[in-house]
C-alpha cells in the first residue's frame, strides 16, 4: 500500500497534533545525535511545543556553551559584514564623487577654452567672464613680479662685478704699499779675524 504524502499545514485536532509532535520530535533528536556522531559536529537543538514545553539536545557538555559560541560567531560575522558593506559604500561613494568632479572639471575646462558655451545661461557666461578677468589680472601681476625679480637679479650681478673689480684694485694698492714700506736691506760689515796670541806693547824705559 502506497503511503500518501502528508500535506504541510497545521493539524487542527489537538490530540493528533500532540502525537505527531511526539513522533517527529523523537526522529529529529535521533537525526541530531547521528549527525553529531557521524560528522563529529557540534549540534544543539531546542524545540518548544505548542504548550511551551522545552525539549533540547546538545552534543557538547552543555547547550549554553554552544549558544555562546554561536552568538560570538554571529557577532563577528555581523561586524565583518558591516565593515565590508561600509567599505563598499565608501569606495562606491568616493568613486562616484571623483567621477563627478572629473566630469565637472572637464566641462569647466572646455568652457574656459570657449567650447560648449551654447548651453550656458547668461549668469554662467558672466561668471566665466569674471573668472577669466580675474585669471588675467593674476597672470599680469605674476608677470610684473617676475620682471621685477629679473631686474633685481641683474642689478645684483652688476654690483657683484663692481665689488670684484674694487677688491682687485684694493689688493694691488695694498701690495704696492707693502713694497714701499719694506725695511732696507742689511749692510755687510767686513771684519778681520786673527788667530794667535794677543799683541803686546813694550814700553821703553828711560
Amino acid at each position: 500500500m502506497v503511503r500518501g504524502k502528508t500535506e504541510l499545514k497545521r493539524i487542527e485536532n489537538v490530540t493528533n497534533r500532540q502525537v505527531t509532535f511526539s513522533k517527529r520530535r523523537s526522529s529529529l533528536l535521533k537525526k541530531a545525535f547521528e549527525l553529531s556522531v557521524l560528522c563529529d559536529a557540534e549540534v544543539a537543538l531546542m524545540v518548544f511545543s505548542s504548550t511551551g514545553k522545552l525539549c533540547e539536545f546538545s552534543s557538547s557538555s552543555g547547550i549554553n556553551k554552544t549558544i555562546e559560541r554561536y552568538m560570538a560567531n554571529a557577532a563577528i560575522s555581523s561586524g565583518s559584514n558591516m565593515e565590508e558593506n561600509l567599505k563598499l559604500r565608501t569606495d562606491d561613494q568616493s568613486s562616484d564623487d571623483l567621477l563627478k568632479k572629473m566630469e565637472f572639471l572637464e566641462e569647466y575646462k572646455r568652457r574656459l577654452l570657449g567650447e560648449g558655451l551654447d548651453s550656458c545661461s547668461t549668469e554662467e557666461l558672466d561668471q566665466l567672464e569674471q573668472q577669466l578677468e580675474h585669471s588675467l589680472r593674476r597672470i599680469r601681476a605674476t608677470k610684473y613680479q617676475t620682471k621685477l625679480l629679473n631686474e633685481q637679479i641683474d642689478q645684483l650681478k652688476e654690483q657683484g662685478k663692481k665689488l670684484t673689480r674694487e677688491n682687485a684694485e684694493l689688493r694691488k694698492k695694498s701690495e704696492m704699499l707693502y713694497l714701499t714700506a719694506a725695511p732696507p736691506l742689511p749692510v755687510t760689515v767686513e771684519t778681520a779675524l786673527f788667530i794667535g796670541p794677543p799683541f803686546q806693547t813694550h814700553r821703553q824705559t828711560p
Side-chain angles (χ1 to χ4, degrees):
M1 180 178 180
V2 180
R3 184 178 179 180
K5 184 177 181 181
T6 303
E7 185 179 359
L8 294 177
K9 67 177 183 179
R10 184 175 180 270
I11 300 174
E12 298 297 334
N13 187 280
V14 178
T15 304
N16 294 338
R17 187 165 62 239
Q18 292 294 335
V19 172
T20 302
F21 174 77
S22 178
K23 292 180 179 179
R24 297 294 178 92
R25 179 191 61 188
S26 300
S27 300
L28 182 60
L29 293 174
K30 182 180 178 180
K31 290 295 183 182
F33 173 73
E34 292 175 352
L35 179 63
S36 64
V37 175
L38 294 174
C39 301
D40 193 20
E42 183 177 354
V43 180
L45 175 64
M46 290 189 303
V47 180
F48 289 92
S49 66
S50 59
T51 59
K53 184 179 180 180
L54 172 63
C55 178
E56 63 182 21
F57 166 81
S58 176
S59 62
S60 62
S61 57
I63 194 171
N64 291 331
K65 293 184 178 180
T66 305
I67 293 175
E68 291 176 359
R69 182 178 178 184
Y70 167 76
M71 295 298 292
N73 289 334
I76 294 173
S77 178
S78 177
S80 61
N81 291 333
M82 289 179 62
E83 289 179 359
E84 291 178 358
N85 293 332
L86 181 61
K87 184 178 180 181
L88 290 174
R89 290 179 182 177
T90 304
D91 294 341
D92 294 339
Q93 186 177 3
S94 300
S95 300
D96 294 338
D97 293 340
L98 288 175
L99 289 174
K100 290 180 182 179
K101 289 180 181 179
M102 290 177 63
E103 292 176 357
F104 174 78
L105 292 175
E106 288 291 336
E107 182 66 22
Y108 188 71
K109 178 181 177 181
R110 286 195 297 269
R111 290 182 179 181
L112 288 176
L113 294 175
E115 300 175 359
L117 299 178
D118 297 335
S119 60
C120 295
S121 62
T122 305
E123 294 180 355
E124 291 176 346
L125 292 174
D126 291 338
Q127 291 178 358
L128 285 174
E129 184 179 5
Q130 293 177 2
Q131 181 64 37
L132 289 173
E133 290 178 354
H134 179 68
S135 299
L136 185 59
R137 287 195 296 269
R138 292 181 60 184
I139 291 171
R140 288 173 177 172
T142 305
K143 182 179 179 181
Y144 180 73
Q145 291 178 358
T146 304
K147 182 179 179 181
L148 290 179
L149 289 175
N150 290 331
E151 291 178 355
Q152 291 178 0
I153 291 172
D154 293 337
Q155 291 177 2
L156 291 174
K157 287 181 178 179
E158 291 296 330
Q159 290 179 2
K161 293 179 181 179
K162 183 178 179 181
L163 291 174
T164 302
R165 291 193 298 266
E166 291 178 355
N167 190 18
E169 292 177 358
L170 290 173
R171 184 181 294 109
K172 290 181 180 178
K173 290 181 180 180
S174 62
E175 291 177 355
M176 293 296 295
L177 291 174
Y178 176 78
L179 293 176
T180 304
L185 295 176
V187 179
T188 304
V189 179
E190 295 182 357
T191 57
L193 179 62
F194 176 79
I195 299 175
F199 293 101
Q200 295 181 356
T201 305
H202 298 277
R203 295 183 178 180
Q204 295 179 0
T205 56

